[in-house]
Amino acid sequence: MPLSETPDPDTFDALARRALALVMPGHRAVLGIAGSPGAGKTTLAVQLAARVNELSAASGGPGAPFAMHLPMDGYHLAESTLRRLGRLDRKGAVDTFDGWGFAALLQRILVERDHTVFAPSFDRRVEEPIAAELAVEPETQLVIVEGNYLLVDDGPWAGIRGLLTEAWFCQTPDAVRVSRLVVRHELGGRSPEAALDWAESVDGRNALLIESTMARADLVVSGVTGAVISRA
Ligand SMILES: Nc1ncnc2c1ncn2[C@@H]1O[C@H](COP(=O)(O)OP(=O)(O)OP(=O)(O)O)[C@@H](O)[C@H]1O
Ligand SMILES: [Mg+2]
């Protein structure tokens, strides 16, 4: 959905221009957007990629796939793996993702420029990743990656910050996030009570870790209005 609550359309456009400016000739830039569950990372990244492509084309440069959106969600561990590891009841926690795999993908994106780099997507209908559904084409010069744990300074995640040309943190008030998550969990088949419980307990625990990583971002962006909240 559009960032319809944006009070001033120029604020979102300023972000898109900033993202476009990350691309230096001959180099592929990676913009990372971190944030808590339901903060609006995916919505922001999808719209940014579309707007950057428009701005590039309008100035005589290449359009899509010049900029693309690449979610971390495809690195969710399969449910069968989570069951084997005894982690299915906290799906979405930091240790329910293949962090090393995601870090390796980012390294490949930076060096493998002469062929398509395929990446997994995440299908919310079945709650499972799908191999190689996403494609980073050689023409792509700005990859907008987004996910919960991009700025965690531990284990496989610790090296990711150094691979990002710039890092943004998408911030949304807890009450707004929780109400968004409840809607999503209900659509996924949970009862209203179970949806609220998951949003507050499992998602809430994850949000505590994620919010603690905000200081590692260059820019804090509102997941409600798409405007800059603060700069590093
Ligand atoms: N600016 C906005 N105004 C109104 N609704 C929004 C806005 N941004 C996102 N939403 C809605 O909030 C919900 C969560 O957004 P989104 O999926 O982008 O969040 P996310 O941070 O990617 O979540 P997750 O961590 O679970 O992947 C969606 O239903 C989306 O349509
Ligand atoms: Mg998302």
Side-chain angles (χ1 to χ4, degrees), residues 15 69 79 81 93 110 139 149 155 183 210:
L15 288 176
H69 160 234
E79 294 219 342
T81 302
L110 288 170
E139 297 80 22
Y149 302 113
V183 171
I210 296 160

Side-chain angles (χ1 to χ4, degrees), residues 17-203:
R17 288 177 199 283
R18 178 172 175 134
L20 177 60
L22 297 176
V23 179
M24 297 296 159
H27 294 272
R28 180 176 273 163
V30 182
L31 167 61
I33 303 178
S36 290
K41 303 174 296 294
T42 302
T43 304
L44 179 63
V46 166
Q47 296 190 9
L48 266 181
R51 188 64 185 133
V52 168
N53 283 325
E54 281 176 8
L55 290 171
S56 170
S59 62
F66 172 79
M68 75 169 288
H69 160 234
L70 184 60
M72 190 196 84
D73 304 23
Y75 285 85
H76 266 102
L77 296 175
E79 294 219 342
S80 57
T81 302
L82 292 174
R83 201 170 293 115
R84 178 169 61 76
L85 296 173
R87 300 177 192 168
L88 191 55
D89 59 349
R90 54 189 160 93
K91 187 172 182 173
V94 68
D95 63 350
T96 65
F97 287 85
D98 175 15
W100 292 113
F102 181 64
L105 172 74
L106 293 190
Q107 277 159 351
R108 288 188 60 206
I109 283 172
L110 288 170
V111 297
E112 297 181 28
R113 298 292 312 276
D114 62 348
H115 55 259
T116 302
V117 176
F118 290 102
S121 65
F122 183 70
D123 187 338
R124 280 199 192 275
R125 289 167 303 178
V126 290
E127 293 272 313
E128 296 276 14
I130 299 181
E133 197 180 41
L134 305 176
V136 184
E137 304 293 356
E139 297 80 22
T140 298
Q141 293 191 60
L142 176 66
V143 181
I144 304 175
V145 296
E146 53 93 4
N148 297 339
Y149 302 113
L150 301 191
L151 299 179
V152 168
D153 196 9
D154 191 31
W157 311 96
I160 288 176
R161 178 69 185 89
L163 302 174
L164 304 175
T165 316
E166 191 160 273
W168 298 0
F169 191 92
C170 180
Q171 194 188 38
T172 294
D174 281 353
V176 179
R177 281 195 314 98
V178 169
S179 64
R180 289 176 180 176
L181 290 168
V182 168
V183 171
R184 174 187 295 164
H185 295 326
E186 285 183 21
L187 287 174
R190 289 194 169 94
S191 69
E193 297 75 27
L196 181 61
D197 183 56
W198 189 278
E200 288 184 340
S201 58
V202 180
D203 295 332

